[in-house]
């Protein structure tokens, strides 16, 4: 049987997700006092009266509540669920959405394969170039034109690989660093989403 | 006349109640709920905002071995309350005029 303690622990976790630490603790104290005054001891009865820890934590955000109050005076519904509910309430467009998702997925997969192939080809260029150059060392002692031919091909292929590799490295570096930065700023802006007090 | 937002109505309610006497969160919610349908967690951000902007101040008082955080209106809060009241009166009278009800 889950109790008040479980609820408060969950609430703390949820509050810390959406508010800066000081604000989260303040809200936690408020609701802890509230639950005591309301004489609620069991997890389920608290959820019934106050709502889930997630709902309460969302309601504790000032700007978020402003929006909530204007749209829905009594029930705290989370509006980020909206896309899902729209999706479910539109059975006609559902197949279309699935097709779109499938296309997107296939597109990404194909792009990934192409990128992988480019890198594979680059690696193969080094390999083939290397093999031809090494072979030429042996063939040149037996038949000079053949040896030179082998060496020429080997060196050309190596030269191409030499030119392509730095370009590929720079591109992949830029992409990974860029993605990493994007994720980081996204995470940061989420955790820094502080309460504002503007009217 | 200016439009009145839901949070302004709640601020008006809270500050009016606090003008009568100091109250703690649970009691404030009970009092407001007696008239307006609000959820149990609705008043927290309203109170926090009023506290942050210096419209109310808080103090702790022990009651039966536990702590109660009381809210009390400041002079800034009283000025703000008057402003809200005037806005509300103007708004409700104006709206009554529009809907053709009694003034």
């Amino acid at each position: 049987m889950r109790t008040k303690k479980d609820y408060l622990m969950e609430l703390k976790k949820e509050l810390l997700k959406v508010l800066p630490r000081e604000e989260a603790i303040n809200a936690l104290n408020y609701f802890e006092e509230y639950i005591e005054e309301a004489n609620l001891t069991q997890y389920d009865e608290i959820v019934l009266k106050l709502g889930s820890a997630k709902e309460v934590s969302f309601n504790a955000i000032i700007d978020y509540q402003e929006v909530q109050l204007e749209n829905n005076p009594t029930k705290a519904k989370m509006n980020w669920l909206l896309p899902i509910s729209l999706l479910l309430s539109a059975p006609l467009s559902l197949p279309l959405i699935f097709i779109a998702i499938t296309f997107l997925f296939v597109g990404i997969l194909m792009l990934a394969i192409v990128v992988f192939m480019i890198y594979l080809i680059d690696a193969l260029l080094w390999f083939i170039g290397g093999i031809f150059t090494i072979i030429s060392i042996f063939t040149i002692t037996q038949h000079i034109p053949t040896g030179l031919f082998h060496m020429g091909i080997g060196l050309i292929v190596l030269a191409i690989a030499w030119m392509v590799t730095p370009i590929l490295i720079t591109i992949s570096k830029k992409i990974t660093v860029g993605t990493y930065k994007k994720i980081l700023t996204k995470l940061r802006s989420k955790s820094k989403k502080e309460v504002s007090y503007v009217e | 006349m200016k439009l009145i937002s839901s949070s302004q109505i709640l601020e008006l309610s809270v500050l009016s109640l606090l003008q009568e006497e100091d109250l703690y969160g649970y009691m404030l919610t009970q009092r407001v709920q007696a008239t307006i349908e609000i959820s149990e967690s609705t008043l927290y951000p309203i109170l926090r905002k009023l506290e942050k902007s210096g419209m109310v101040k808080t103090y702790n008082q022990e009651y039966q071995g536990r702590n109660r955080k009381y809210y009390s209106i400041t002079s800034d809060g009283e000025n703000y309350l008057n402003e809200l009241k005037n806005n509300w009166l103007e708004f409700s009278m104006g709206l009554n005029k529009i809907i053709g009800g009694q003034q």
Side-chain angles (χ1 to χ4, degrees):
Chain A
M1 201 68 174
R2 287 185 295 174
T3 62
K4 183 171 80 181
K5 216 173 138 191
D6 299 307
Y7 186 88
L8 288 171
M9 260 162 61
E10 210 179 305
L11 182 60
K12 186 178 179 185
K13 212 176 82 194
E14 293 297 333
L15 283 167
L16 282 169
K17 276 188 206 165
V18 293
L19 291 173
R21 192 171 176 83
E22 196 198 327
E23 288 301 317
I25 297 298
N26 197 294
L28 183 70
N29 289 336
Y30 178 91
F31 287 109
E32 190 173 0
E33 183 195 314
Y34 195 98
I35 289 164
E36 262 182 31
E37 293 291 344
N39 220 358
L40 303 169
T41 51
Q42 294 308 310
Y43 184 95
D44 292 337
E45 57 179 0
I46 299 171
V47 172
L48 207 67
K49 194 115 186 356
L50 268 82
S52 71
K54 197 166 210 129
E55 281 171 336
V56 171
S57 66
F58 269 81
N59 277 344
I61 310 169
I62 291 173
D63 292 339
Y64 178 79
Q65 201 214 25
E66 303 255 313
V67 178
Q68 284 298 312
L69 280 171
E70 296 304 327
N71 294 333
N72 196 337
T74 45
K75 270 206 183 116
K77 222 184 200 172
M78 270 159 255
N79 59 9
W80 44 263
L81 285 175
L82 201 66
I84 297 167
S85 57
L86 273 180
L87 208 137
L88 292 176
S89 64
L92 271 179
S93 61
L94 208 61
L96 276 178
I97 290 166
F98 276 125
I99 290 170
I101 289 171
T102 315
F103 266 100
L104 196 74
F105 182 74
V106 170
I108 290 170
L109 199 72
M110 271 161 69
L111 190 74
I113 290 170
V114 167
V115 170
F116 179 74
M117 291 299 279
I118 290 172
Y119 281 82
L120 195 69
I121 287 169
D122 185 49
L124 276 175
L125 283 180
W126 282 107
F127 184 72
I128 293 167
I131 293 278
F132 267 97
T133 317
I134 291 165
I135 284 175
S136 71
I137 295 168
F138 299 102
T139 46
I140 208 162
T141 55
Q142 296 180 341
H143 190 237
I144 292 171
T146 313
L148 284 176
F149 176 71
H150 283 161
M151 191 182 277
I153 289 181
L155 288 177
I156 286 169
V157 172
L158 278 180
I160 292 170
W162 196 316
M163 285 194 302
V164 172
T165 307
I167 298 170
L168 287 182
I169 289 175
T170 323
I171 290 172
S172 49
K173 245 189 199 165
K174 267 197 182 142
I175 290 173
T176 33
V177 171
T179 328
Y180 181 68
K181 264 188 186 161
K182 218 175 209 173
I183 292 170
L184 213 67
T185 44
K186 220 172 207 175
L187 284 178
R188 218 176 266 158
S189 68
K190 204 177 178 185
S191 66
K192 275 271 166 69
K193 197 171 187 239
E194 296 192 13
V195 186
S196 71
Y197 300 93
V198 274
E199 193 56 79
Chain B
M1 74 187 192
K2 279 186 203 156
L3 258 180
I4 311 270
S5 72
S6 306
S7 58
Q8 282 172 324
I9 291 171
L10 290 175
E11 283 174 346
L12 176 58
S13 313
V14 165
L15 289 174
S16 299
L17 288 166
L18 290 179
Q19 208 177 26
E20 299 290 318
E21 58 180 320
D22 296 354
L23 291 165
Y24 51 98
Y26 179 70
M27 190 49 75
L28 259 169
T29 302
Q30 298 287 99
R31 292 277 174 86
V32 175
Q33 276 179 337
T35 320
I36 309 172
E37 262 184 54
I38 54 163
S39 81
E40 313 292 316
S41 55
T42 301
L43 283 193
Y44 173 74
I46 304 280
L47 287 168
R48 187 61 178 154
K49 191 174 156 191
L50 289 172
E51 187 185 350
K52 283 249 169 183
S53 53
M55 301 303 161
V56 300
K57 57 181 195 290
T58 63
Y59 60 91
N60 293 318
Q61 196 166 298
E62 202 170 294
Y63 174 79
Q64 291 185 349
R66 59 172 189 260
N67 186 55
R68 271 179 181 169
K69 186 172 172 183
Y70 275 87
Y71 294 82
S72 111
I73 192 166
T74 62
S75 55
D76 277 351
E78 280 179 354
N79 292 336
Y80 182 51
L81 173 60
N82 283 331
E83 196 186 307
L84 284 174
K85 255 186 201 164
N86 288 335
N87 285 350
W88 172 255
L89 287 175
E90 199 188 323
F91 177 80
S92 55
M93 284 196 295
L95 193 68
N96 277 334
K97 220 185 266 175
I98 290 175
I99 64 177
Q102 68 277 44
Q103 282 180 35

